[in-house]
Amino acid sequence: MFSTETYIRRRQQLIHNIDSKGILLFLTNKESPINFEHNCYPFRQDSSFLYYFGIKAPEIYVVLDLDSNETILFGDEASIDDIIWTGKLETLKEKAHKSGIQKTVPKKEIFDYVEKVIKQDRTVHYLPPYQAYNKILLSQLIQKPISQLQPSIPFIKAVVSQRSVKEKQEIEDIEKALAVTVEMHKLAMLATQPGMKEYEIINVMRHYAEDHGCTFAYPPIVTKHGEILHNLHSHHLLSLGDMVLNDSGCETDKGYAADLTRTYPVANKFTPVQRDIYSIVHAAIQSASSMLAPQTKFRDVHLRSVTTLMEGLKDLGIVRGNVEDAVESNAFTLFFQCGTGHMMGLDVHDMEDLGEQYVGYIDEEPKDTKTFGWKSLRLAKKLNTGNVLTVEPGIYFIPTLIDMWTAERKHAEFINYNQLEKYKDFGGIRIEDNYVITEDGYRTLGPHLFQSIDEIENYRDANLS
C-alpha cells in the first residue's frame, strides 16, 4: 500500500470532484473458482478500489457518503474456521486503518444501509460491474433487474479524471514494473532458438518476473503468428525464418502495469524482407511518439502512425497512389486494424472497465463504434500532463482478410494486390513502448529496450555467439 495520507487525499479529491448527493458505493472483486469453489484463480482486486483504498481483500464494500462525508467499510473478520486454513493474518480493521478508514461494520449490514439510502430518496452511485457476482449483488442491493443497472456517469467521469493523471509515486511503480519487464524481454530474446516452443519463452519470462515479486499484467502474447492480434496460442514450434512477436508485461504488488512489445527473428539476423517490414514499423513508432505532448490529440498521433506505415508500404510497391487519400479512405486498415495506443496504469488498458468513451474520448467527439479499424482505437482525445500511455504501431498481413479484400478488389486504387500476394504469409510485426506526458513533451518510461534492427542483432550476436 501507499501511505495512509495518499488514500485519504484521493478520496477527498474524488468527493470534491463529484457535484452530486447520495453515496458512492465501491465493490471489491470476488475470488473466482477455476473448477470448484475452493480452487480459485489468483485474486486480483478491482483497480478503482485499489486506487482509493489499497486493500486487497475480496468481498468487502466501502461507502463514501457525499452528504455526511462519512466513510464506512462493510466486511467480516476472519473466523476461526478461516484461520485454521490460512493462519492468522492482518485483520480487516488493521487494513482499514492503513487506508484511513475508522468505521468497519459486518458485511451483511450493507443491505439495510443501501435500502435506507434508497428510502431517503438519495442516489446510490456505482461504477460499471464486470464480475457476474457484483452484477447480481448490485441487482439485489438496489432491487432492480441486472438489465436495468445504470452506473453513475458523474462517478465514472470523476474517477477517470483523477486516475488519468498519474502521481509521481504511481509513475515510480510503473517504472518498477518496466524494469522487470525489460529484463524479461531481453531474456526472451536470448532464450529463443529454433526447435523450441513459444510457451518455453513464456516460462522463462514468468520465472524471472516471479523471482522479482511481479506477476504478468495480462496473458502474454508470444507467437510466430504476429498477424493474430491477441494470439494466446503458444504451442507452435519455432524455426529459422520465423519471427517472434513478444507482447508481455508484468505488474507490481501494488497493481501497476508495464506493456512492451518487441518483434525479432528466431535467427540472429533479420532477412531482407523482415528488415523491410520491421523498418517501416520502427519508423512509425519513432514518428508517432515524437508527437506526444500536452494538448495533442492522440487521434492525430494515430494518423501520423498509419500515414508512416502506408508510406513505407508504398516504397515496397504494396500501396500505390496518394498516401493521404489512402489513409482518408481507410485503406490502411488492411494492414493495421487496431489503435496506435491506450492509457496504462493500474490496468494495462487503464480503466477500460469504465468505458472507452469516458477514458479515451470526450462527449463532443465520441468514439466511432462501427467503422472497421477506427472502432478499435481506444484513445483519441487530447493528452494531458501526467497521462501514461502506450504507442504500438504494427503491420499485420492477415491471410483471411487479404483474401476477402482481394476478392472484392476493395480500395484497389490504393492497394497493389499482385505485389501484396508475395507478403500474404509474412505474419505481423508490432513495436510498443510506454510513455508519460510531461509539461514540455514526453518521456519514455523504464530502462531502454532494444528497438532498432542493429541493436537487436548486436545484442543477440554478442550473447549467443
Side-chain angles (χ1 to χ4, degrees), residues 53-65:
F53 306 101
I55 302 173
K56 297 180 184 177
E59 295 186 68
I60 60 175
Y61 326 115
V62 174
V63 165
L64 300 185
D65 194 313

Side-chain angles (χ1 to χ4, degrees), residues 19-90:
D19 184 19
S20 186
K21 300 293 184 182
I23 65 169
L24 304 180
L25 175 60
F26 287 88
L27 305 179
T28 60
N29 285 338
K30 176 183 171 65
E31 290 186 301
S32 298
I34 299 172
N35 53 353
F36 57 89
E37 183 180 0
H38 297 294
N39 185 31
C40 295
Y41 293 100
F43 177 71
R44 174 54 157 85
Q45 186 58 284
D46 173 76
S47 293
S48 289
F49 196 93
L50 274 182
Y51 183 83
Y52 290 105
F53 306 101
I55 302 173
K56 297 180 184 177
E59 295 186 68
I60 60 175
Y61 326 115
V62 174
V63 165
L64 300 185
D65 194 313
L66 298 172
D67 304 315
S68 67
N69 205 29
E70 184 179 37
T71 302
I72 308 172
L73 186 150
F74 296 82
D76 298 329
E77 295 290 358
S79 67
I80 188 61
D81 288 332
D82 298 320
I83 293 171
I84 287 172
W85 292 100
T86 64
K88 192 171 183 180
L89 304 174
E90 186 178 39

Side-chain angles (χ1 to χ4, degrees), residues 182-244:
V182 165
E183 293 303 315
M184 278 173 26
H185 275 261
K186 291 164 70 175
L187 282 173
M189 287 185 188
L190 295 185
T192 300
Q193 296 179 23
M196 70 186 304
K197 296 289 186 71
E198 296 154 331
Y199 64 75
E200 294 181 74
I201 301 173
I202 294 174
N203 291 342
V204 168
M205 294 193 295
R206 179 182 288 111
H207 189 288
Y208 184 87
E210 294 189 357
D211 275 353
H212 290 78
C214 294
T215 58
F216 284 142
Y218 53 96
I221 302 166
V222 179
T223 178
K224 68 178 187 179
H225 288 289
E227 77 279 7
I228 303 175
L229 299 183
H230 280 180
N231 188 2
L232 300 180
H233 302 288
S234 56
H235 59 274
H236 301 102
L237 188 71
L238 301 179
S239 304
L240 289 174
D242 292 333
M243 296 194 77
V244 174

